[in-house]
Amino acid sequence: MISIKGLKHYYTDADGKEVKALDGIDLDIKKGEFVAIIGANGSGKSTLARHLNALLLPTEGTCTVGGLDTVEEANMWDIRQQVGMVFQNPDNQIVAAIVEEDVAFGPENIGVPSEEIRPRVEKALAAVGMTDYAKHAPHLLSGGQKQRVAIAGLMALEPDCIVLDEPTAMLDPQGRKEIVATVKSLNKDKGITIVYITHYMTEALAADRVVVMEKGHIRFMGTPKEVFSRVDELEKLGLEAPLAAKVASELRKSGIKLPKDIITDEELAQALCQ
Amino acid sequence: MLSEITLGQYFPGNSFVHRLDPRTKILATLIYIIAIFLADTPLAYGILIGFAALVIAVSQLPVGMVLKSLKPIWIIILITMIIHMFTAPGETVVFTWKIFKITEEGLILGTKMALRLILLLLFSSVLTFTTSPIVLTDGIEKLLRPFKAIGVPAHELAMMMTIALRFIPTLLEETDRIMKAQTARGADFSSGNLLERAKNMLPLLVPLFVSAFRRAEELAIAMESRCYRGGEGRTRMHELAYKSIDYTAFGAVIFLAVGLAVLRWGAGLCAL
Ligand SMILES: Nc1ncnc2c1ncn2[C@@H]1O[C@H](COP(=O)(O)OP(=O)(O)O)[C@@H](O)[C@H]1O
Ligand SMILES: [Mg+2]
């Protein structure tokens, strides 16, 4: 679905100096896959995300989405329809003063005939569990609900892939739970490819694959079990493994025999009780 | 406190007037305003008042609420009335005090002007009471579209209004929050003379502007991500369409305007 080869992206900062935000990224994302991207602040996660729907173009290397090269200007709108993007601040991505009007914004932009827009809006709101709020004013919703409206706005474009750039960073625990559950269900039930950027490691546990970034490079990747059992390496990159993985690692170091792939609380509890 | 300010004054309902197309309501209001300026006899004013009363009744709005919309400008109405009373040229003096005198002509002219203002306001407030700001925006966009050829940015204006409607409550909430935070740190927004107060507002405006610009930038990126590329080739979920009730409304208000025109000039025409 998405194929990134030798991708480099350089910014020029305020002093005219070159910042190598991405310095040679190779990544293939399969259709229907759920990929989580983790990495310290400034490691280039947002820059990578913005290449996936042609908001940014590569300085070097290529990025193709569904076979379309993002560099070709003619592909831009097809790519943006295929790959939706959710941002961190729930307030600053909702355009209209009524939920359903906002969800209709995307289909209206690509010229979907009037009579087909309403069914799309209803389907999209149902997919994120916000049907009851169709007529509400967005500024009165909770953070988690606003993010779900933002996701519905993308679903109405019938995308193949949704990229979420730290969607839970400004939410309370309840809102975070809502978003993770929504994203999981879109992936499992609707087959939407998910690229999920987060700095909450527990959220990344839901992914099929976790990609670890540092200073514009991919350091390593694998299943959540493979990645989160490398507790010490993660720590060197400024990342904290889930608590259970850390505890298990400490216990192993002090001589207690535990399997290497413990990453959730349940697994830890089970292993300790044996 | 700030967030209690309600936007617009939409009063939801399902009356005949509520169900009219927003374009019908805007155009009918304009025609009614023209009719107001055609009126010059008590009979004509009586008809205008009757028509306004009929529209308010049909719209099922609480009469008190509609009348309240006059409140913010009653002082302007009063001043207009007084100025006309004292300045109109005329012979029949009704009242004098020192150099001031009120003539019969002045009295009539003053009342007329006040009545015109009141009718104009009442009628246009029925428009805003019965039409949600969002629908009103759609109506304005559609009405302005033919003028795109002469450079009127119809879609852009409508988009600006849409975004303003969406973000004004958010920005008000934010202002409220910053004000509370700064009051807690000892800032004072409610005492001192006008200049002092304006100066005290400065530390409020700076963070507010910074945040508004950040929001605008993020919103622009989010809109681009959702395939926004201007008004070209855009469709709408609710396409506006005139229905039979719209033709009834147009018929009524055009009949009113023509009737008043005949009342004004009809006698002259007959004499010819
Ligand atoms: N518009 C920009 N101009 C200059 N430098 C930027 C810009 N955006 C990001 N950077 C720099 O690029 C690097 C990667 O940023 P980013 O992709 O936002 O990282 P992350 O999302 O992982 O925190 C950082 O060093 C950041 O300072
Ligand atoms: Mg980021």
Side-chain angles (χ1 to χ4, degrees), chain B residues 14-234:
Chain B
N14 197 30
S15 72
F16 177 86
V17 184
H18 281 90
R19 281 181 285 126
L20 288 173
D21 188 285
R23 291 169 296 173
T24 308
K25 286 188 260 192
I26 296 169
L27 291 174
T29 305
L30 292 177
I31 297 172
Y32 184 83
I33 290 171
I34 293 171
I36 290 176
F37 288 94
L38 288 175
D40 64 348
T41 59
L43 173 64
Y45 279 100
I47 294 174
L48 280 173
I49 295 170
F51 192 82
L54 179 76
V55 170
I56 294 171
V58 169
S59 67
Q60 295 169 3
L61 295 168
V63 178
M65 190 180 75
V66 180
L67 291 178
K68 240 191 226 154
S69 62
L70 294 175
K71 214 170 125 194
I73 55 113
W74 68 269
I75 194 92
I76 298 177
I77 297 175
L78 204 70
I79 291 172
T80 313
M81 191 161 158
I82 291 170
I83 289 177
H84 278 96
M85 269 184 190
F86 285 107
T87 57
E91 311 293 292
T92 10
V93 176
V94 218
F95 172 85
T96 44
W97 178 68
K98 296 198 177 151
I99 55 159
F100 299 106
K101 64 174 199 285
I102 296 180
T103 62
E104 201 180 303
E105 288 83 350
L107 211 56
I108 293 172
L109 190 65
T111 315
K112 248 187 190 173
M113 291 319 277
L115 211 55
R116 281 181 176 176
L117 270 179
I118 291 172
L119 285 172
L120 196 151
L121 274 159
L122 281 184
F123 209 82
S124 17
S125 66
V126 171
L127 168 68
T128 50
F129 275 128
T130 59
T131 321
S132 83
I134 293 162
V135 174
L136 203 56
T137 304
D138 279 352
I140 294 172
E141 175 174 9
K142 257 289 185 53
L143 282 175
L144 288 180
R145 213 174 274 173
F147 301 103
K148 236 165 85 178
I150 58 162
V152 178
H155 168 74
E156 287 75 8
L157 282 174
M159 201 67 220
M160 273 164 57
M161 282 170 64
T162 304
I163 292 173
L165 287 171
R166 156 72 187 88
F167 278 94
I168 286 171
T170 305
L171 290 175
L172 283 177
E173 270 169 33
E174 185 159 28
T175 314
D176 217 22
R177 209 175 45 240
I178 300 175
M179 260 170 117
K180 277 186 187 133
Q182 299 199 346
T183 312
R185 280 187 244 143
D188 185 3
F189 297 109
S190 51
S191 64
N193 62 33
L194 207 61
L195 197 70
E196 277 166 22
R197 272 200 227 182
K199 233 170 79 190
N200 291 343
M201 289 298 252
L202 211 61
L204 182 71
L205 289 179
V206 174
L208 202 60
F209 267 92
V210 170
S211 125
F213 278 108
R214 200 200 59 235
R215 282 181 196 282
E217 198 177 322
E218 288 184 20
L219 184 70
I221 294 173
M223 285 168 70
E224 266 188 59
S225 291
R226 291 168 73 182
C227 300
Y228 180 69
R229 53 196 130 163
E232 215 59 54
R234 219 169 167 259

Side-chain angles (χ1 to χ4, degrees), chain A residues 41 45-46 50 85-93 143 146-147 150 163-171 179 197 199-200, chain B residues 218 222:
Chain A
N41 271 338
K45 305 181 297 293
S46 297
R50 286 173 185 213
M85 180 101 60
V86 180
F87 300 89
Q88 186 171 342
N89 190 322
D91 271 316
N92 301 349
Q93 32 190 333
K146 284 180 200 165
Q147 283 301 49
V163 179
L164 303 97
D165 189 354
E166 302 199 23
T168 54
M170 298 177 73
L171 304 185
I179 298 307
I197 297 173
H199 58 226
Y200 293 107
Chain B
E218 288 184 20

Side-chain angles (χ1 to χ4, degrees), chain A residues 16 21 27 44 47 50 78 84 89 94 103 143-144 178 188 196 202 215 231 240-241 253 256:
Chain A
L27 183 64
T47 307
R50 286 173 185 213
D78 277 340
N89 190 322
I94 297 177
V103 177
E178 289 171 24
K188 297 278 168 307
Y196 192 94
T202 45
K215 293 187 182 143
V231 175
E240 251 186 277
K253 275 182 206 160
I256 298 175

